[in-house]
Amino acid sequence: MTMTHVGRTFAVLSGVLAVAMAAAVMAAPAAAQTAEPAAEHEVTFTKDIAPILQRSCQKCHRPDSLAPMSLIDYEEVRPWARAIKYRTGLRDQMGVMPPWYIEKDVGIQDFKDDPSLTEEEILKIAVWADNGAPLGNPADMPPPVAFIDVDEWEIGQPDLIVRTPSVEVKADAPDWWGALADTPTNLPEDRYVAAVEFKEVTERRVGEGRNTVGGNFVFHHAGLGVVGPDFDPEDELARAGLSSWPVHEVGRNADFFAPEAGKLVPADAKVTFSSIHLHANGADTTARLDVGFKFHPKGYEPSLRQELIAFGNGVDLDIEGNDPNVEVEAYFTLPKHLKMSVYEPHMHAPGVRMCLEAIWGSTIETLNCSGYDHSWVRVYNYEDHAAPLLPKGTILRITGYFNNSASNPNVPDPRNWSGSGHRSVDQMFINIMQGSYLDDDQFTEAVIERRQTLGLAPGETVTGCLLCGSDDPLAGTDDAAVAADGADQN
C-alpha cells in the first residue's frame, strides 16, 4: 500500500458542503464502470442527471425525509450543482455521497444493494456542473419515482416490529451507557429471520439541534439480543445475544442474513437491549428504536448457522494528538472453514479507512478496502456468488488508518490523545463480520457450486475463493499450508 494511496483518504471537507449533502442514500445497484461520459450529446439535467438522482439521491433528498434539502425538481437541484459534483467526486473517501465507501480498484465488488455511482456517472455530474448545469429538453425528463414513505422499511413490511421503551435525552446531557427493559415478542411459534432493520423514531424534539447526521438521533448504538423463555438469566452472553445479532449504529443500513442461515426467534422470546449508548443532539429529544424482523416462510429450516465474528484491536490503541497518519493492524485465525456474508468496518471519529486481507500459506489476498466515516456506519452484504469462501486456518488481517488531526472534520478536538473506549471521541478498531462456519463436506460443496456458478475453468480462482481452482479443494491443503509456513520461516 503506497503512502499516496493512504493519504488520499484524508481529505479536508468543507463545512458548508458537509451540511449541503449530508444525507443522500442510494436505492439501486449501479451499472458497470466506464472511463469517460457519453460524448455524443450535451450532458443535461433532464436526460443525464435526473435519472442518477432518482436512483441515487431522492430516497433521502425529498420532502420530509432525512436529507436537509430536496433534489426532485431542476429548480431544487440547480443551486447545489457544484456541491453535488464535489461530494460525488470524493468516491470512497469520508464525506462522499451517497455514503458508500468500498474502494473499486481492489478486492470484491459484488454487494447486495450497492448504492455507489459508476465512474461514468461521476464524470457526467462533473461535466454538467462545469458547463453551467443546463436543464436540457423537458421532454427527456423521466417520470417521477415512487418511493417508500419515510416510515416504511428497506426490508419490506416487517412481520414483527419490536419497540424499545422511550428514552429522554436533554439537549446538553452527557453520554449515557446502560440497558433498557426487555420487550416481549409475543410470537406464538418459532420463526426464522431473513432480515432485520433498525429505525430510530423521534417522538418529541424541542430546540434547534445540531446540523449533522448524528444530530438527527440520540441512539449512538444499541446491542440487540433475542432470548427464549428458557434462557439462563445468569448467562450474560446469552442474555445480551451479542454473539450473533447485529448491533444498531447511527446511519446503519438493513441487515440481510445468508439465505441458508436464517436466525431463530423462539416462541414467546424477549428482545433484550443490554448495551445502549445515548448521546445528546442539541435538542431536548424523546425517542425510541423500532426493530423490524422479516421472517422466512413457515416451515423454513436453516442448513447453516449465522455467526457474528468480530475481531480487532481494542486494548492497545494509541492515537496521538494532531497525528494524521496512524496505522494499526489486528489478526484472526479461522478455527473452521468460513463462508463470509458481511464485511462491516467499525471505527470511531478519527477512523478513515480499513482493509481486510486473507492470508493462506504464502498467498495474501485483499478481500476489500473501504473508506470510513463515523457519520454513516455501513454494512456491506456480499452477493451470494461473491461471499468469501475461506478454509480453516486462514489468517484474516485488518489494517486501520486513523486521522486525528484538524483535517478530519469528525474529530472535535484533535489535540487530544485517545485510546480504546466506547465514546465516539475514544477509539475502536473492529471488523464485525458475519458468516457461517462450514464442515469439510459443506465447504467442498460450496466451492464446487461457486465454480459452477461463475463458470470457472480448471485452475482458475476468483478473489475470496482461494481454493476455487480445484474439484477437490481440500485435497492436500494441510500439507500445503505447513509447507508454505515452513518456507516463510526459512
PDB file of all heavy atoms in Angstrom, residues 195-226:
ATOM      1  N   ALA A 195     -34.137 -11.035   7.544  1.00  0.00           N
ATOM      2  CA  ALA A 195     -33.538  -9.696   7.543  1.00  0.00           C
ATOM      3  C   ALA A 195     -34.018  -8.943   8.773  1.00  0.00           C
ATOM      4  O   ALA A 195     -35.103  -9.223   9.316  1.00  0.00           O
ATOM      5  CB  ALA A 195     -33.910  -8.927   6.279  1.00  0.00           C
ATOM      6  N   VAL A 196     -33.208  -7.994   9.211  1.00  0.00           N
ATOM      7  CA  VAL A 196     -33.567  -7.161  10.357  1.00  0.00           C
ATOM      8  C   VAL A 196     -33.146  -5.730  10.055  1.00  0.00           C
ATOM      9  O   VAL A 196     -32.141  -5.481   9.383  1.00  0.00           O
ATOM     10  CB  VAL A 196     -32.908  -7.675  11.655  1.00  0.00           C
ATOM     11  CG1 VAL A 196     -31.385  -7.590  11.565  1.00  0.00           C
ATOM     12  CG2 VAL A 196     -33.409  -6.900  12.877  1.00  0.00           C
ATOM     13  N   GLU A 197     -33.936  -4.781  10.518  1.00  0.00           N
ATOM     14  CA  GLU A 197     -33.667  -3.366  10.267  1.00  0.00           C
ATOM     15  C   GLU A 197     -34.050  -2.556  11.496  1.00  0.00           C
ATOM     16  O   GLU A 197     -35.039  -2.860  12.175  1.00  0.00           O
ATOM     17  CB  GLU A 197     -34.461  -2.887   9.058  1.00  0.00           C
ATOM     18  CG  GLU A 197     -34.195  -1.446   8.653  1.00  0.00           C
ATOM     19  CD  GLU A 197     -34.980  -1.033   7.422  1.00  0.00           C
ATOM     20  OE1 GLU A 197     -35.626  -1.906   6.795  1.00  0.00           O
ATOM     21  OE2 GLU A 197     -34.971   0.161   7.087  1.00  0.00           O
ATOM     22  N   PHE A 198     -33.261  -1.531  11.782  1.00  0.00           N
ATOM     23  CA  PHE A 198     -33.494  -0.647  12.920  1.00  0.00           C
ATOM     24  C   PHE A 198     -33.946   0.724  12.417  1.00  0.00           C
ATOM     25  O   PHE A 198     -33.426   1.237  11.429  1.00  0.00           O
ATOM     26  CB  PHE A 198     -32.218  -0.454  13.732  1.00  0.00           C
ATOM     27  CG  PHE A 198     -31.635  -1.717  14.318  1.00  0.00           C
ATOM     28  CD1 PHE A 198     -30.798  -2.522  13.568  1.00  0.00           C
ATOM     29  CD2 PHE A 198     -31.915  -2.094  15.624  1.00  0.00           C
ATOM     30  CE1 PHE A 198     -30.248  -3.680  14.097  1.00  0.00           C
ATOM     31  CE2 PHE A 198     -31.372  -3.240  16.168  1.00  0.00           C
ATOM     32  CZ  PHE A 198     -30.534  -4.038  15.398  1.00  0.00           C
ATOM     33  N   LYS A 199     -34.873   1.322  13.136  1.00  0.00           N
ATOM     34  CA  LYS A 199     -35.284   2.700  12.872  1.00  0.00           C
ATOM     35  C   LYS A 199     -35.359   3.450  14.195  1.00  0.00           C
ATOM     36  O   LYS A 199     -36.027   2.996  15.131  1.00  0.00           O
ATOM     37  CB  LYS A 199     -36.669   2.754  12.208  1.00  0.00           C
ATOM     38  CG  LYS A 199     -36.693   2.435  10.722  1.00  0.00           C
ATOM     39  CD  LYS A 199     -38.100   2.608  10.176  1.00  0.00           C
ATOM     40  CE  LYS A 199     -38.149   2.377   8.680  1.00  0.00           C
ATOM     41  NZ  LYS A 199     -37.444   3.437   7.939  1.00  0.00           N
ATOM     42  N   GLU A 200     -34.664   4.589  14.258  1.00  0.00           N
ATOM     43  CA  GLU A 200     -34.859   5.464  15.402  1.00  0.00           C
ATOM     44  C   GLU A 200     -36.040   6.382  15.107  1.00  0.00           C
ATOM     45  O   GLU A 200     -36.081   7.032  14.062  1.00  0.00           O
ATOM     46  CB  GLU A 200     -33.612   6.284  15.699  1.00  0.00           C
ATOM     47  CG  GLU A 200     -33.809   7.210  16.897  1.00  0.00           C
ATOM     48  CD  GLU A 200     -32.540   7.879  17.379  1.00  0.00           C
ATOM     49  OE1 GLU A 200     -31.442   7.306  17.169  1.00  0.00           O
ATOM     50  OE2 GLU A 200     -32.643   8.976  17.966  1.00  0.00           O
ATOM     51  N   VAL A 201     -36.987   6.427  16.012  1.00  0.00           N
ATOM     52  CA  VAL A 201     -38.203   7.215  15.844  1.00  0.00           C
ATOM     53  C   VAL A 201     -38.190   8.345  16.865  1.00  0.00           C
ATOM     54  O   VAL A 201     -38.142   8.104  18.076  1.00  0.00           O
ATOM     55  CB  VAL A 201     -39.469   6.345  16.035  1.00  0.00           C
ATOM     56  CG1 VAL A 201     -40.723   7.201  15.893  1.00  0.00           C
ATOM     57  CG2 VAL A 201     -39.482   5.194  15.028  1.00  0.00           C
ATOM     58  N   THR A 202     -38.206   9.586  16.374  1.00  0.00           N
ATOM     59  CA  THR A 202     -38.250  10.748  17.257  1.00  0.00           C
ATOM     60  C   THR A 202     -39.701  11.037  17.624  1.00  0.00           C
ATOM     61  O   THR A 202     -40.520  11.323  16.750  1.00  0.00           O
ATOM     62  CB  THR A 202     -37.619  11.978  16.588  1.00  0.00           C
ATOM     63  OG1 THR A 202     -36.254  11.691  16.277  1.00  0.00           O
ATOM     64  CG2 THR A 202     -37.684  13.194  17.503  1.00  0.00           C
ATOM     65  N   GLU A 203     -40.013  10.941  18.899  1.00  0.00           N
ATOM     66  CA  GLU A 203     -41.373  11.189  19.373  1.00  0.00           C
ATOM     67  C   GLU A 203     -41.578  12.652  19.763  1.00  0.00           C
ATOM     68  O   GLU A 203     -42.694  13.175  19.673  1.00  0.00           O
ATOM     69  CB  GLU A 203     -41.664  10.280  20.573  1.00  0.00           C
ATOM     70  CG  GLU A 203     -41.560   8.795  20.234  1.00  0.00           C
ATOM     71  CD  GLU A 203     -41.688   7.915  21.461  1.00  0.00           C
ATOM     72  OE1 GLU A 203     -41.604   8.454  22.598  1.00  0.00           O
ATOM     73  OE2 GLU A 203     -41.858   6.692  21.306  1.00  0.00           O
ATOM     74  N   ARG A 204     -40.503  13.296  20.179  1.00  0.00           N
ATOM     75  CA  ARG A 204     -40.595  14.700  20.610  1.00  0.00           C
ATOM     76  C   ARG A 204     -39.214  15.329  20.471  1.00  0.00           C
ATOM     77  O   ARG A 204     -38.212  14.716  20.793  1.00  0.00           O
ATOM     78  CB  ARG A 204     -41.060  14.774  22.063  1.00  0.00           C
ATOM     79  CG  ARG A 204     -41.061  16.172  22.670  1.00  0.00           C
ATOM     80  CD  ARG A 204     -41.543  16.128  24.119  1.00  0.00           C
ATOM     81  NE  ARG A 204     -41.351  17.400  24.802  1.00  0.00           N
ATOM     82  CZ  ARG A 204     -40.233  17.740  25.446  1.00  0.00           C
ATOM     83  NH1 ARG A 204     -39.204  16.901  25.491  1.00  0.00           N
ATOM     84  NH2 ARG A 204     -40.133  18.919  26.047  1.00  0.00           N
ATOM     85  N   ARG A 205     -39.179  16.560  19.964  1.00  0.00           N
ATOM     86  CA  ARG A 205     -37.903  17.259  19.791  1.00  0.00           C
ATOM     87  C   ARG A 205     -38.136  18.744  20.003  1.00  0.00           C
ATOM     88  O   ARG A 205     -38.953  19.363  19.300  1.00  0.00           O
ATOM     89  CB  ARG A 205     -37.338  16.987  18.407  1.00  0.00           C
ATOM     90  CG  ARG A 205     -35.975  17.626  18.108  1.00  0.00           C
ATOM     91  CD  ARG A 205     -35.565  17.263  16.687  1.00  0.00           C
ATOM     92  NE  ARG A 205     -34.352  17.948  16.259  1.00  0.00           N
ATOM     93  CZ  ARG A 205     -33.132  17.433  16.294  1.00  0.00           C
ATOM     94  NH1 ARG A 205     -32.970  16.207  16.767  1.00  0.00           N
ATOM     95  NH2 ARG A 205     -32.089  18.119  15.859  1.00  0.00           N
ATOM     96  N   VAL A 206     -37.436  19.333  20.949  1.00  0.00           N
ATOM     97  CA  VAL A 206     -37.576  20.755  21.266  1.00  0.00           C
ATOM     98  C   VAL A 206     -36.193  21.393  21.216  1.00  0.00           C
ATOM     99  O   VAL A 206     -35.294  21.010  21.975  1.00  0.00           O
ATOM    100  CB  VAL A 206     -38.202  20.968  22.656  1.00  0.00           C
ATOM    101  CG1 VAL A 206     -38.306  22.468  22.964  1.00  0.00           C
ATOM    102  CG2 VAL A 206     -39.572  20.305  22.742  1.00  0.00           C
ATOM    103  N   GLY A 207     -36.015  22.351  20.315  1.00  0.00           N
ATOM    104  CA  GLY A 207     -34.728  23.005  20.158  1.00  0.00           C
ATOM    105  C   GLY A 207     -34.208  22.833  18.743  1.00  0.00           C
ATOM    106  O   GLY A 207     -34.711  22.022  17.965  1.00  0.00           O
ATOM    107  N   GLU A 208     -33.175  23.592  18.397  1.00  0.00           N
ATOM    108  CA  GLU A 208     -32.649  23.581  17.037  1.00  0.00           C
ATOM    109  C   GLU A 208     -31.861  22.318  16.726  1.00  0.00           C
ATOM    110  O   GLU A 208     -31.862  21.832  15.609  1.00  0.00           O
ATOM    111  CB  GLU A 208     -31.768  24.815  16.812  1.00  0.00           C
ATOM    112  CG  GLU A 208     -32.531  26.125  16.837  1.00  0.00           C
ATOM    113  CD  GLU A 208     -31.649  27.296  16.478  1.00  0.00           C
ATOM    114  OE1 GLU A 208     -30.456  27.046  16.151  1.00  0.00           O
ATOM    115  OE2 GLU A 208     -32.124  28.439  16.497  1.00  0.00           O
ATOM    116  N   GLY A 209     -31.168  21.763  17.704  1.00  0.00           N
ATOM    117  CA  GLY A 209     -30.356  20.588  17.456  1.00  0.00           C
ATOM    118  C   GLY A 209     -29.105  20.921  16.676  1.00  0.00           C
ATOM    119  O   GLY A 209     -28.769  22.090  16.460  1.00  0.00           O
ATOM    120  N   ARG A 210     -28.402  19.878  16.248  1.00  0.00           N
ATOM    121  CA  ARG A 210     -27.159  20.045  15.508  1.00  0.00           C
ATOM    122  C   ARG A 210     -27.367  19.610  14.070  1.00  0.00           C
ATOM    123  O   ARG A 210     -28.025  18.613  13.796  1.00  0.00           O
ATOM    124  CB  ARG A 210     -26.039  19.226  16.148  1.00  0.00           C
ATOM    125  CG  ARG A 210     -25.770  19.625  17.601  1.00  0.00           C
ATOM    126  CD  ARG A 210     -24.501  18.964  18.125  1.00  0.00           C
ATOM    127  NE  ARG A 210     -24.284  19.340  19.519  1.00  0.00           N
ATOM    128  CZ  ARG A 210     -24.626  18.590  20.553  1.00  0.00           C
ATOM    129  NH1 ARG A 210     -25.178  17.410  20.353  1.00  0.00           N
ATOM    130  NH2 ARG A 210     -24.412  18.995  21.780  1.00  0.00           N
ATOM    131  N   ASN A 211     -26.767  20.346  13.150  1.00  0.00           N
ATOM    132  CA  ASN A 211     -26.977  20.104  11.724  1.00  0.00           C
ATOM    133  C   ASN A 211     -25.948  19.103  11.203  1.00  0.00           C
ATOM    134  O   ASN A 211     -25.114  19.394  10.355  1.00  0.00           O
ATOM    135  CB  ASN A 211     -26.883  21.417  10.954  1.00  0.00           C
ATOM    136  CG  ASN A 211     -27.531  21.308   9.589  1.00  0.00           C
ATOM    137  OD1 ASN A 211     -28.131  20.297   9.261  1.00  0.00           O
ATOM    138  ND2 ASN A 211     -27.390  22.354   8.799  1.00  0.00           N
ATOM    139  N   THR A 212     -25.982  17.891  11.746  1.00  0.00           N
ATOM    140  CA  THR A 212     -25.133  16.791  11.307  1.00  0.00           C
ATOM    141  C   THR A 212     -26.000  15.548  11.218  1.00  0.00           C
ATOM    142  O   THR A 212     -27.148  15.535  11.673  1.00  0.00           O
ATOM    143  CB  THR A 212     -23.991  16.524  12.310  1.00  0.00           C
ATOM    144  OG1 THR A 212     -24.551  16.087  13.558  1.00  0.00           O
ATOM    145  CG2 THR A 212     -23.156  17.771  12.544  1.00  0.00           C
ATOM    146  N   VAL A 213     -25.446  14.466  10.623  1.00  0.00           N
ATOM    147  CA  VAL A 213     -26.193  13.212  10.576  1.00  0.00           C
ATOM    148  C   VAL A 213     -26.507  12.729  11.982  1.00  0.00           C
ATOM    149  O   VAL A 213     -27.641  12.391  12.316  1.00  0.00           O
ATOM    150  CB  VAL A 213     -25.394  12.150   9.794  1.00  0.00           C
ATOM    151  CG1 VAL A 213     -26.106  10.802   9.860  1.00  0.00           C
ATOM    152  CG2 VAL A 213     -25.210  12.572   8.356  1.00  0.00           C
ATOM    153  N   GLY A 214     -25.482  12.685  12.848  1.00  0.00           N
ATOM    154  CA  GLY A 214     -25.705  12.259  14.220  1.00  0.00           C
ATOM    155  C   GLY A 214     -26.626  13.184  14.981  1.00  0.00           C
ATOM    156  O   GLY A 214     -27.276  12.762  15.943  1.00  0.00           O
ATOM    157  N   GLY A 215     -26.715  14.453  14.546  1.00  0.00           N
ATOM    158  CA  GLY A 215     -27.586  15.403  15.218  1.00  0.00           C
ATOM    159  C   GLY A 215     -29.059  15.110  15.053  1.00  0.00           C
ATOM    160  O   GLY A 215     -29.895  15.704  15.733  1.00  0.00           O
ATOM    161  N   ASN A 216     -29.408  14.200  14.148  1.00  0.00           N
ATOM    162  CA  ASN A 216     -30.800  13.803  13.998  1.00  0.00           C
ATOM    163  C   ASN A 216     -31.222  12.742  15.006  1.00  0.00           C
ATOM    164  O   ASN A 216     -32.405  12.423  15.099  1.00  0.00           O
ATOM    165  CB  ASN A 216     -31.036  13.241  12.588  1.00  0.00           C
ATOM    166  CG  ASN A 216     -30.873  14.292  11.513  1.00  0.00           C
ATOM    167  OD1 ASN A 216     -31.336  15.410  11.658  1.00  0.00           O
ATOM    168  ND2 ASN A 216     -30.195  13.935  10.430  1.00  0.00           N
ATOM    169  N   PHE A 217     -30.269  12.178  15.737  1.00  0.00           N
ATOM    170  CA  PHE A 217     -30.543  11.000  16.548  1.00  0.00           C
ATOM    171  C   PHE A 217     -29.956  11.134  17.945  1.00  0.00           C
ATOM    172  O   PHE A 217     -29.120  11.989  18.211  1.00  0.00           O
ATOM    173  CB  PHE A 217     -29.945   9.756  15.873  1.00  0.00           C
ATOM    174  CG  PHE A 217     -30.383   9.583  14.441  1.00  0.00           C
ATOM    175  CD1 PHE A 217     -29.503   9.815  13.397  1.00  0.00           C
ATOM    176  CD2 PHE A 217     -31.680   9.205  14.147  1.00  0.00           C
ATOM    177  CE1 PHE A 217     -29.904   9.662  12.079  1.00  0.00           C
ATOM    178  CE2 PHE A 217     -32.093   9.049  12.839  1.00  0.00           C
ATOM    179  CZ  PHE A 217     -31.204   9.278  11.799  1.00  0.00           C
ATOM    180  N   VAL A 218     -30.386  10.240  18.841  1.00  0.00           N
ATOM    181  CA  VAL A 218     -29.813  10.175  20.187  1.00  0.00           C
ATOM    182  C   VAL A 218     -29.249   8.793  20.495  1.00  0.00           C
ATOM    183  O   VAL A 218     -28.504   8.635  21.458  1.00  0.00           O
ATOM    184  CB  VAL A 218     -30.843  10.569  21.267  1.00  0.00           C
ATOM    185  CG1 VAL A 218     -31.259  12.026  21.117  1.00  0.00           C
ATOM    186  CG2 VAL A 218     -32.066   9.644  21.252  1.00  0.00           C
ATOM    187  N   PHE A 219     -29.590   7.771  19.714  1.00  0.00           N
ATOM    188  CA  PHE A 219     -29.004   6.442  19.908  1.00  0.00           C
ATOM    189  C   PHE A 219     -27.696   6.363  19.128  1.00  0.00           C
ATOM    190  O   PHE A 219     -27.697   6.374  17.899  1.00  0.00           O
ATOM    191  CB  PHE A 219     -29.955   5.351  19.407  1.00  0.00           C
ATOM    192  CG  PHE A 219     -31.085   5.028  20.343  1.00  0.00           C
ATOM    193  CD1 PHE A 219     -32.272   5.752  20.278  1.00  0.00           C
ATOM    194  CD2 PHE A 219     -30.980   4.016  21.279  1.00  0.00           C
ATOM    195  CE1 PHE A 219     -33.329   5.462  21.128  1.00  0.00           C
ATOM    196  CE2 PHE A 219     -32.032   3.708  22.133  1.00  0.00           C
ATOM    197  CZ  PHE A 219     -33.213   4.437  22.061  1.00  0.00           C
ATOM    198  N   HIS A 220     -26.586   6.296  19.836  1.00  0.00           N
ATOM    199  CA  HIS A 220     -25.306   6.065  19.174  1.00  0.00           C
ATOM    200  C   HIS A 220     -25.213   4.609  18.741  1.00  0.00           C
ATOM    201  O   HIS A 220     -24.868   4.306  17.610  1.00  0.00           O
ATOM    202  CB  HIS A 220     -24.149   6.400  20.111  1.00  0.00           C
ATOM    203  CG  HIS A 220     -22.789   6.032  19.576  1.00  0.00           C
ATOM    204  ND1 HIS A 220     -22.237   4.783  19.740  1.00  0.00           N
ATOM    205  CD2 HIS A 220     -21.889   6.750  18.877  1.00  0.00           C
ATOM    206  CE1 HIS A 220     -21.047   4.745  19.175  1.00  0.00           C
ATOM    207  NE2 HIS A 220     -20.811   5.919  18.648  1.00  0.00           N
ATOM    208  N   HIS A 221     -25.523   3.680  19.669  1.00  0.00           N
ATOM    209  CA  HIS A 221     -25.620   2.284  19.285  1.00  0.00           C
ATOM    210  C   HIS A 221     -26.546   1.565  20.255  1.00  0.00           C
ATOM    211  O   HIS A 221     -26.856   2.060  21.346  1.00  0.00           O
ATOM    212  CB  HIS A 221     -24.240   1.606  19.213  1.00  0.00           C
ATOM    213  CG  HIS A 221     -23.651   1.252  20.557  1.00  0.00           C
ATOM    214  ND1 HIS A 221     -22.561   1.899  21.091  1.00  0.00           N
ATOM    215  CD2 HIS A 221     -23.996   0.311  21.466  1.00  0.00           C
ATOM    216  CE1 HIS A 221     -22.265   1.386  22.265  1.00  0.00           C
ATOM    217  NE2 HIS A 221     -23.122   0.406  22.525  1.00  0.00           N
ATOM    218  N   ALA A 222     -27.003   0.387  19.837  1.00  0.00           N
ATOM    219  CA  ALA A 222     -27.866  -0.447  20.672  1.00  0.00           C
ATOM    220  C   ALA A 222     -27.580  -1.907  20.369  1.00  0.00           C
ATOM    221  O   ALA A 222     -27.737  -2.355  19.237  1.00  0.00           O
ATOM    222  CB  ALA A 222     -29.348  -0.131  20.416  1.00  0.00           C
ATOM    223  N   GLY A 223     -27.115  -2.624  21.377  1.00  0.00           N
ATOM    224  CA  GLY A 223     -26.887  -4.052  21.239  1.00  0.00           C
ATOM    225  C   GLY A 223     -28.198  -4.810  21.390  1.00  0.00           C
ATOM    226  O   GLY A 223     -28.961  -4.590  22.326  1.00  0.00           O
ATOM    227  N   LEU A 224     -28.462  -5.691  20.436  1.00  0.00           N
ATOM    228  CA  LEU A 224     -29.728  -6.431  20.395  1.00  0.00           C
ATOM    229  C   LEU A 224     -29.474  -7.883  20.771  1.00  0.00           C
ATOM    230  O   LEU A 224     -28.521  -8.506  20.297  1.00  0.00           O
ATOM    231  CB  LEU A 224     -30.305  -6.362  18.971  1.00  0.00           C
ATOM    232  CG  LEU A 224     -31.496  -7.270  18.650  1.00  0.00           C
ATOM    233  CD1 LEU A 224     -32.739  -6.773  19.361  1.00  0.00           C
ATOM    234  CD2 LEU A 224     -31.719  -7.352  17.148  1.00  0.00           C
ATOM    235  N   GLY A 225     -30.353  -8.428  21.607  1.00  0.00           N
ATOM    236  CA  GLY A 225     -30.334  -9.847  21.923  1.00  0.00           C
ATOM    237  C   GLY A 225     -31.726 -10.428  21.785  1.00  0.00           C
ATOM    238  O   GLY A 225     -32.722  -9.722  21.940  1.00  0.00           O
ATOM    239  N   VAL A 226     -31.814 -11.709  21.461  1.00  0.00           N
ATOM    240  CA  VAL A 226     -33.091 -12.421  21.400  1.00  0.00           C
ATOM    241  C   VAL A 226     -32.956 -13.665  22.256  1.00  0.00           C
ATOM    242  O   VAL A 226     -32.086 -14.508  22.010  1.00  0.00           O
ATOM    243  CB  VAL A 226     -33.454 -12.813  19.951  1.00  0.00           C
ATOM    244  CG1 VAL A 226     -34.734 -13.631  19.931  1.00  0.00           C
ATOM    245  CG2 VAL A 226     -33.609 -11.565  19.086  1.00  0.00           C
TER     246      VAL A 226
END
